[in-house]
């Protein structure tokens, strides 16, 4: 195989070699052609020994994008767009039917009708990546470090976790703090999640609480700090994509797992294999994937995406579009009460009666009732609401709706939690588009 030519426009690319913007998508990178795209994305990391093939960090990034090793990578020409990624049609390894919002890093949500199962299959669990996932993970050599403000720091293999601690399997909900961001006006920057940055898989692992107890937390401990094995989009050594934590009191919650299995099998690579945290009901960002280290701190964590405006909202309600000083932001803790209709899908045709199905949740709280309306909120009927499979899981609901005549209807769902909070018709705008829990609507055509 011959060495691939340098891209025609290389001098221009070099002249213009500002660091890649985090928001640049694959399709944008490849807009000028394969060689140019590859050079932009992988070229600078492979530059030192640039023989026209992918290697090193460039290869790692490519492997992560495809979600599999590339056995013949040494023959893979630089400038070749893997057909798996070609034409902007991203087929995500191990995922089924997800809508890709951003391909660099990979972010994909699940259409509501594909979330109909009580337990979300791994192929349908959304993906939210802030950086580049590790390209090689080996569960048998993986280790988790527990350190910081503890008397008994530990390095634990996955086998150690299984041997030393009680293993639990729980259905646990993960929802991204930015789920629903697409509906903010003026728009908020970031992934334009609609409804599907939420899932409830069954996770198997050990309780964070038990592990922290074994590490013997010292007095004065305030917060955890979570670290994963993914790398920053810039490729800079030691630069973290995201590192968040929770207050120690929250870390002691029975429901939080350090998980090594998802739905009875290995964790999906894009969902953090081989080890991740699952902190149900709090912003998904607390649930560190590819988990390598948990540090106990004597102050609130200040890692990437803990400070500034990330996963924070103004501490008072603001006008749409208003500028808010950074000091007026506070960390998001529990996610608000919410419901999702998973059957029928919006736009469905129906006869005179229709079964409505969905899920409802409210971070750290029970949902007390779900109400359904077929008349734009004029009247509401109570849905049959199940208890959660366990604390930290969503609750399923069903309702039978009768339509008086043919025509266009909207079916709305509104959950109310144990503290009496209900989903609102509209929520206060916030600069980064977090916590959108407005009531859920599907369109139904009755004929
Ligand atoms: N290491 C690591 N952990 C991470 C992230 C990440 O980018 N890197 N993203 C977080 C965010 S913002 C969310 S919403 C959840 C999403 O989990 P999922 O991708 O398994 O759906 O993972 C969290 N854990
Ligand atoms: Mo998130």
């Amino acid at each position: 195989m011959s060495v691939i030519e340098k891209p025609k426009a290389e001098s221009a690319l070099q002249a213009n070699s500002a660091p890649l913007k985090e928001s640049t998508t694959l399709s944008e990178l490849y807009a000028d052609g394969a060689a140019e795209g590859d050079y932009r994305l992988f070229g600078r990391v492979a530059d030192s020994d640039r023989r026209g093939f992918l290697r090193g960090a460039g290869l790692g990034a490519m492997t992560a994008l495809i979600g599999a090793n590339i056995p013949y990578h040494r023959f893979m020409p630089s400038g070749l767009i893997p057909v798996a990624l070609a034409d902007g049609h991203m087929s995500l390894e191990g995922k089924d039917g997800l809508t890709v919002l951003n391909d660099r890093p990979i972010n994909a949500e699940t259409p509501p009708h594909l979330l109909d199962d009580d337990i979300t299959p791994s192929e349908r669990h959304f993906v939210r990546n802030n950086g580049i996932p590790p390209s090689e993970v080996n569960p048998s050599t993986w280790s988790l470090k527990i350190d910081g403000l503890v008397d008994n720091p530990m390095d634990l293999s996955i086998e150690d976790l299984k041997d030393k601690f009680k293993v639990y399997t729980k259905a646990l909900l993960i929802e991204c703090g930015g789920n629903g961001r697409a509906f903010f006006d003026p728009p908020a920057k970031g992934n334009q999640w609609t409804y599907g940055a939420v899932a409830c898989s069954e996770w198997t692992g050990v309780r964070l609480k038990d592990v922290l107890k074994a590490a013997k937390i010292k007095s004065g401990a305030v917060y955890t700090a979570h670290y994963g094995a993914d790398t920053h989009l810039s490729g800079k050594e030691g630069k973290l994509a995201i590192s968040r934590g929770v207050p120690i009191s929250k870390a002691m919650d029975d429901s939080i797992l350090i998980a090594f299995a998802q739905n009875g099998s290995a964790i999906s690579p894009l969902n953090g294999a081989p080890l991740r945290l699952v902190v149900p009901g709090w912003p998904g960002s607390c649930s560190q994937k590819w988990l390598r280290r948990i540090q106990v701190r004597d102050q609130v964590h200040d890692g990437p995406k803990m400070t500034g405006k990330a996963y924070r909202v103004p501490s008072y309600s603001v006008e749409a579009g208003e500028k808010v000083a950074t000091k007026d932001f506070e960390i998001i803790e529990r996610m608000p009460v919410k419901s999702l209709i998973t059957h029928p899908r919006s736009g469905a045709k129906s006869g005179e009666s229709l079964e409505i199905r969905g899920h409802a949740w409210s971070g750290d709280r029970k949902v007390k009732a779900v109400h359904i309306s077929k008349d734009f909120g004029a009247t509401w009927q109570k849905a049959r609401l199940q208890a959660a499979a366990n604390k930290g899981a969503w609750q399923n609901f069903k309702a039978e709706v009768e339509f008086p005549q043919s025509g266009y209807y909207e079916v709305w769902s509104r959950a109310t939690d144990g503290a009496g909070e209900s989903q609102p018709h509209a929520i206060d705008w916030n600069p980064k588009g977090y916590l959108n829990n407005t009531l859920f609507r599907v369109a139904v055509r009755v004929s």
Side-chain angles (χ1 to χ4, degrees):
M1 179 161 306
S2 66
V3 170
I4 298 303
E5 279 175 46
K6 284 193 177 185
K8 284 182 235 85
E10 186 174 352
S11 51
L13 289 172
Q14 265 168 344
N16 189 12
S17 66
L20 286 178
K21 275 210 294 202
E22 290 189 19
S23 55
T24 313
T25 63
L26 264 190
S27 354
E28 284 162 1
L29 285 168
Y30 281 92
D32 298 330
E36 281 79 2
D38 223 30
Y39 187 73
R40 285 186 182 123
L41 186 54
F42 306 111
R44 64 196 75 236
V45 274
D47 244 8
S48 54
D49 181 14
R50 196 155 179 287
R51 295 191 45 242
F53 300 105
L54 284 177
R55 57 195 300 281
L59 174 64
M62 178 66 92
T63 306
L65 280 172
I66 297 176
N69 286 327
I70 309 172
Y72 288 123
H73 68 81
R74 65 185 186 282
F75 303 130
M76 189 168 180
S78 170
L80 181 83
I81 304 180
V83 71
L85 311 182
D87 308 326
H89 292 298
M90 191 83 157
S91 55
L92 289 183
E93 177 67 20
K95 294 292 167 185
D96 164 39
L98 270 57
T99 309
V100 176
L101 299 180
N102 187 354
D103 47 21
R104 192 181 155 275
I106 296 169
N107 287 290
E109 69 170 328
T110 315
H113 71 281
L114 296 183
L115 288 171
D116 195 39
D117 301 273
D118 292 358
I119 300 294
T120 310
S122 306
E123 309 82 66
R124 295 189 175 166
H125 196 291
F126 76 102
V127 177
R128 197 301 183 230
N129 288 347
N130 290 267
I132 309 284
S135 49
E136 265 167 53
V137 300
N138 182 348
S140 55
T141 57
W142 195 264
S143 77
L144 171 66
K145 183 187 282 301
I146 312 289
D147 66 354
L149 212 57
V150 295
D151 281 323
N152 181 30
M154 299 186 285
D155 272 302
L156 299 158
S157 67
I158 295 177
E159 280 313 305
D160 291 336
L161 290 172
K162 292 179 185 169
D163 290 348
K164 296 191 166 125
F165 302 95
K166 184 163 181 223
V167 171
Y168 294 83
T169 295
K170 294 168 187 268
L172 299 173
L173 174 125
I174 301 178
E175 181 180 22
C176 181
N179 198 19
R181 175 179 292 138
F183 309 110
F184 280 82
D185 183 25
K189 273 199 206 136
N191 288 300
Q192 297 300 300
W193 305 110
T194 63
Y195 304 107
V198 62
C200 185
S201 281
E202 218 167 53
W203 298 93
T204 300
V206 301
R207 297 195 300 200
L208 173 61
K209 165 185 171 175
D210 296 341
V211 173
L212 290 179
K213 276 194 175 155
K216 301 201 167 61
I217 296 181
K218 292 189 187 178
S219 69
V222 170
Y223 229 82
T224 59
H226 316 147
Y227 299 90
D230 46 344
T231 49
H232 192 264
L233 281 181
S234 65
K236 279 207 191 93
E237 191 87 30
K239 192 166 183 201
L240 301 172
I242 182 170
S243 171
R244 291 180 41 87
V246 295
I248 291 294
S249 54
K250 174 65 183 174
M252 292 300 157
D253 186 323
D254 283 348
S255 308
I256 301 177
L257 294 185
I258 300 174
F260 41 74
Q262 179 180 16
N263 296 320
S265 305
I267 297 177
S268 168
L270 290 170
N271 298 123
L275 196 68
R276 79 170 298 169
L277 262 181
V278 185
V279 181
W282 280 39
S285 51
C286 300
S287 297
Q288 196 83 26
K289 302 192 281 188
W290 311 290
L291 184 69
R292 297 307 307 255
R293 177 181 176 209
I294 298 172
Q295 181 195 30
V296 177
R297 295 178 53 121
D298 63 358
Q299 53 183 291
V300 175
H301 186 36
D302 54 4
K305 311 270 161 130
M306 277 301 312
T307 56
K309 294 175 183 171
Y311 301 104
R312 290 173 168 242
V313 287
S315 52
Y316 45 84
S317 75
V318 303
E319 293 291 315
E322 192 179 325
K323 279 249 181 315
V324 185
T326 310
K327 68 167 175 45
D328 292 341
F329 282 72
E330 57 189 21
I331 299 173
I332 299 169
E333 297 201 329
R334 53 176 294 279
M335 293 294 290
V337 62
K338 200 158 169 181
S339 63
L340 183 68
I341 293 173
T342 54
H343 179 85
R345 66 191 289 180
S346 193
K349 293 202 170 73
S350 168
E352 280 163 13
S353 78
L354 178 62
E355 183 180 73
I356 309 293
R357 295 192 295 269
H359 316 290
W361 61 93
S362 182
D364 295 340
R365 294 182 189 161
K366 280 184 184 162
V367 173
K368 197 176 59 187
V370 172
H371 289 88
I372 302 290
S373 177
K374 59 183 174 193
D375 51 15
F376 305 102
T379 63
W380 294 88
Q381 74 184 74
K382 218 169 175 181
R384 294 189 304 283
L385 178 67
Q386 284 175 14
N390 48 253
K391 198 168 163 270
W394 60 22
Q395 292 169 243
N396 309 311
F397 67 82
K398 276 186 185 165
E400 214 64 54
V401 171
E402 307 289 333
F403 300 105
Q405 61 184 79
S406 61
Y408 174 83
Y409 294 85
E410 287 189 11
V411 176
W412 294 5
S413 67
R414 186 187 69 196
T416 304
D417 70 20
E421 273 178 38
S422 290
Q423 290 179 261
H425 285 258
I427 61 155
D428 280 345
W429 182 90
N430 65 78
K432 293 273 285 171
Y434 294 124
L435 304 178
N436 188 350
N437 70 330
T438 46
L439 36 80
F440 191 79
R441 303 158 57 191
V442 291
V444 179
R445 281 172 201 285
V446 176
S447 48

